[in-house]
Amino acid sequence: MDFGQGFYLTSNRRQARQWAIKKANRLKTGLPVINIFTFDDRTDFSPLSVKIFEGPNEEWLDFVVANRNETYRGRRFDIII
């Protein structure tokens, strides 16, 4: 919800576990699953549209609120960090 439709990742294993359990419970089917990926930040992402938030600032909050309210109409990104 925070960044629109997509595939969400976290570096926090506990948070990933909680989200997986919550999602499985909400769907009332399946088992919680955590996939682990290695992310190399030296990868060339220049062909993609990447948005990097430096932290939870006002711009980040506006973006999150607009996505949660389904009112975001700005630029679409391939990766949001």
Side-chain angles (χ1 to χ4, degrees):
M1 286 181 62
D2 291 349
F3 302 110
Q5 183 178 6
F7 186 79
Y8 286 71
L9 303 173
T10 180
S11 58
N12 184 319
R13 186 182 290 247
R14 194 182 104 204
Q15 185 180 51
R17 182 179 183 278
Q18 290 171 337
W19 284 347
I21 291 168
K22 181 183 271 189
K23 183 69 173 182
N25 288 340
R26 188 178 299 145
L27 293 174
K28 296 181 177 155
T29 185
L31 298 172
V33 174
I34 298 172
N35 292 302
I36 298 174
F37 300 91
T38 301
F39 179 77
D40 184 351
D41 59 2
R42 296 171 295 169
T43 301
D44 178 18
F45 291 112
S46 61
L48 303 173
S49 175
V50 180
K51 174 66 178 169
I52 300 174
F53 289 104
E54 298 300 329
N57 55 26
E58 188 173 348
E59 178 190 16
W60 169 83
L61 181 59
D62 289 345
F63 189 83
V64 167
V65 169
N67 276 292
R68 286 187 177 183
N69 292 333
E70 298 180 2
T71 59
Y72 180 74
R73 300 292 180 255
R75 182 175 171 195
R76 297 294 178 192
F77 300 98
D78 298 309
I79 298 174
I80 301 170
I81 300 170

